[in-house]
Amino acid sequence: MDVFLSWLFSSEVQELYILDCMAYFMYFMAAFTFVSLLFQNVPYGRYASSKYGFPVDVKFAWFIQELPSLLLPLCLVFWTSSSKTSLLPNQLLIGMFLCHYVQRTLIYPFLIRGGKATPFASFALAFAFCVYNGYMQVRYLSHYAEYPADWVTHPRFITGSALWLIGWLMNIHSDHILRSLRKPGETGYKIPRGGMFEFVSGANFLGEITEWAGFALAGRSAHSAAFSVFTTAVLANRAVAHHKWYLAKFEDYPKSRKALIPFVF
């Protein structure tokens, strides 16, 4: 893989410049996506529409679209001269990223019960994003990111890591609650209860937003921050859309429950 990267980039200076440009472009994508989603929900799940392409089986779609965020980082870590992977801060941050995508790629898709097929356009865009972000995050961390020797004991790293863990666990627990609403063979929607769903409609989204905010805090880079901002732009919109949908569909939906931020919003 080093040969391929050498063919793509004339020097490490050029590759780092490209990685930085990718991060700043992701900020632009976040702003553009946020505005776009004010007029149109992300077309997958309950908002899926045939106008965005032919349907792709939901389990297959989730597995394939998330796979680049697992395989590409593993290739970058083990099949390139990844000079920073011997350093503990870099190892821990890469571990956080991979931990999420091991669960999201190898476990989550195969636990889905009765999900709607994903339109091809949504599937293709998600796949492209995972290629883009998987390369940007892990190439930077494995080959370029430099941290102070005592970074893992710095309050910023400790706080960020704690937030990442809390968000990761919240996300997994919320997904479990949503799956448990449906018995095998069922396809309808029910009101989620328990965990953070007692406070917000988008508990799973709040978990992932918290997770990547912690990752960005611990990672201290434009690359991790851009990913956090993009995730927030997409998932905050989805949480609000879900909240409105629940209120419209269920007359007995808890009126005290907020969309994304407990007691606030």
Side-chain angles (χ1 to χ4, degrees):
M1 197 162 184
D2 276 328
V3 174
F4 177 69
L5 292 173
S6 297
W7 175 75
L8 279 179
F9 308 107
S10 60
S11 67
E12 291 188 347
V13 171
Q14 184 191 47
E15 184 181 20
L16 181 56
Y17 174 76
I18 294 298
L19 287 168
D20 291 344
C21 288
M22 290 174 70
Y24 296 126
F25 182 66
M26 188 173 283
Y27 286 117
F28 169 78
M29 288 196 298
F32 176 80
T33 301
F34 178 80
V35 173
S36 299
L37 293 180
L38 294 176
F39 306 97
Q40 171 66 55
N41 292 319
V42 181
Y44 72 91
R46 67 192 64 178
Y47 311 112
S49 171
S50 59
K51 70 179 181 180
Y52 292 101
F54 62 86
V56 182
D57 177 79
V58 63
K59 292 185 178 183
F60 177 84
W62 271 105
F63 172 69
I64 296 299
Q65 73 190 30
E66 303 293 307
L67 194 59
S69 286
L70 178 61
L71 288 186
L72 186 54
L74 289 174
C75 290
L76 290 170
V77 169
F78 294 109
W79 292 349
T80 67
S81 54
S82 46
S83 59
K84 304 297 183 183
T85 52
S86 61
L87 304 176
L88 184 57
N90 304 62
Q91 292 173 345
L92 292 174
L93 288 162
I94 292 171
M96 292 178 198
F97 189 85
L98 289 175
C99 188
H100 174 89
Y101 282 104
V102 165
Q103 196 279 334
R104 187 59 72 181
T105 304
L106 302 181
I107 300 173
Y108 174 80
F110 305 102
L111 296 176
I112 293 173
R113 293 180 181 175
K116 289 185 177 180
T118 302
F120 179 78
S122 297
F123 163 69
L125 287 172
F127 180 87
F129 177 81
C130 286
V131 172
Y132 185 104
N133 190 56
Y135 165 74
M136 182 179 73
Q137 299 299 331
V138 176
R139 182 58 174 171
Y140 176 74
L141 287 171
S142 67
H143 203 70
Y144 295 103
E146 295 186 3
Y147 299 99
D150 61 347
W151 182 240
V152 296
T153 60
H154 191 282
R156 179 169 174 171
F157 184 87
I158 293 171
T159 303
S161 299
L163 281 174
W164 176 87
L165 181 60
I166 291 168
W168 184 69
L169 292 173
M170 187 192 312
N171 183 242
I172 291 175
H173 183 245
S174 300
D175 282 342
H176 171 72
I177 290 173
L178 291 173
R179 281 194 303 271
S180 299
L181 294 175
R182 291 173 177 162
K183 297 178 181 179
E186 286 187 334
T187 57
Y189 290 97
K190 300 177 182 178
I191 298 175
R193 300 186 187 277
M196 288 301 295
F197 281 112
E198 294 300 315
F199 304 97
V200 295
S201 299
N204 49 332
F205 306 129
L206 175 60
E208 191 159 351
I209 289 170
T210 302
E211 185 181 350
W212 295 124
F215 179 76
L217 185 63
R220 198 192 63 173
S221 73
H223 313 81
S224 56
F227 182 29
S228 175
V229 169
F230 185 88
T231 298
T232 302
V234 174
L235 297 186
N237 170 273
R238 198 157 178 86
V240 171
H242 274 30
H243 186 64
K244 292 178 179 178
W245 185 90
Y246 280 126
L247 288 171
K249 186 173 180 63
F250 299 103
E251 291 184 0
D252 59 337
Y253 195 73
K255 297 300 186 287
S256 63
R257 194 177 295 186
K258 300 299 183 181
L260 184 64
I261 304 173
F263 313 112
V264 178
F265 171 71

